[in-house]
Amino acid sequence: FTGNVYGIAVYPYTSAATSIFASDDSMLQSISNTSTAFVHVFNASATPIATFAPNSSWAQGLAINSTGTTIYVANTYGFGARTVQMYSSSLALIGAVGSGIAVPIPDTSLAALSGDMSSPEFVAVSPTNGNLFVTDSGTNGFANVLVMQAPTTPLGVAITYWNGQISTSASPTGIATDGTTVYVADAGHNQIETYTVNGVLGSTWTTDNNPVGAVAFSSPYGIALNAAEGLLF
């Protein structure tokens, strides 16, 4: 890896996973749009099998749909910024989700529903209907989760957006879903939150609940879900 490793995704979502994807970029250079981000692909034994350069200078979160046909890469800076780029299983760019327009400050519901984002950071795909969940953390005090309808083709608008407790945090980060419950790492509040797919707040966890000595969260970031075993990492 040459820079910061942000997103990790596996396919398929079982213990028989055959592909591991990791995004890699250099934040310092990407701010000046001089660097090239990469997505590295490994097999289950962590042997590199492919690398591609997304159309971005700052690639962050990654997700793969349940059929393995589309890879989503959050693009914060560079050409096509403020979108989530879509790649085929052959690693070819096939489009982008989101308007590519900066969300205004103060944030508005109209802008969010239009797919306007500031810093799309992490993404998750529902295993039940393919809907895409995107955390947008760079709105300087406003933070959204945008829900895009199963984007098999380039799509700009969101079908819904919600911001519950994370509305007062500048940093909702990692996100994961089993199709019914959505888990959000809220780095600004040092906690993990659960929501329905429509954004209704459920549980809030401030520690790891370790039975031999719970440790409080401090800016939790990436999260991943093993729904079959009921485990959140």
Side-chain angles (χ1 to χ4, degrees):
F1 295 102
T2 60
N4 298 316
V5 183
Y6 274 95
I8 294 178
V10 299
Y11 179 80
Y13 305 153
T14 68
S15 59
T18 56
S19 299
I20 306 167
F21 298 78
S23 61
D24 173 19
D25 76 296
S26 173
M27 178 179 174
L28 179 63
Q29 292 180 339
S30 65
I31 290 177
S32 61
N33 290 329
T34 59
S35 71
T36 299
F38 296 97
V39 174
H40 304 285
V41 189
F42 304 87
N43 65 18
S45 299
T47 300
I49 56 177
T51 294
F52 70 98
N55 197 16
S56 168
S57 58
W58 194 357
Q60 297 204 43
L62 297 172
I64 305 167
N65 66 359
S66 61
T67 58
T69 57
T70 308
I71 304 161
Y72 301 95
V73 181
N75 177 18
T76 302
Y77 289 106
F79 185 80
R82 301 186 178 93
T83 63
V84 177
Q85 296 179 344
M86 301 164 54
Y87 294 84
S88 68
S89 57
S90 63
L91 309 183
L93 179 66
I94 56 176
V97 181
S99 69
I101 299 173
V103 68
I105 300 296
D107 196 1
T108 67
S109 59
L110 180 62
L113 289 172
S114 297
D116 299 351
M117 293 179 276
S118 179
S119 296
E121 191 161 10
F122 286 89
V123 292
V125 181
S126 169
T128 57
N129 60 16
N131 284 352
L132 185 69
F133 294 77
V134 184
T135 57
D136 180 19
S137 65
T139 53
N140 191 25
F142 294 85
N144 294 333
V145 171
L146 285 78
V147 185
M148 309 286 189
Q149 187 173 12
T152 54
T153 58
L155 182 70
V157 300
I159 56 174
T160 186
Y161 90 102
W162 39 272
N163 57 12
Q165 284 184 255
I166 58 176
S167 62
T168 57
S169 167
S171 194
T173 49
I175 189 166
T177 183
D178 59 7
T180 301
T181 301
V182 183
Y183 302 84
V184 177
D186 184 349
H189 288 115
N190 301 317
Q191 62 192 21
I192 305 292
E193 299 155 4
T194 69
Y195 294 85
T196 69
V197 293
N198 294 317
V200 178
L201 179 66
S203 303
T204 298
W205 308 329
T206 57
T207 75
D208 62 7
N209 296 321
N210 188 329
V212 296
V215 177
F217 291 128
S218 177
S219 300
Y221 238 71
I223 57 176
L225 178 67
N226 182 332
E229 298 187 17
L231 297 175
L232 184 73
F233 297 83

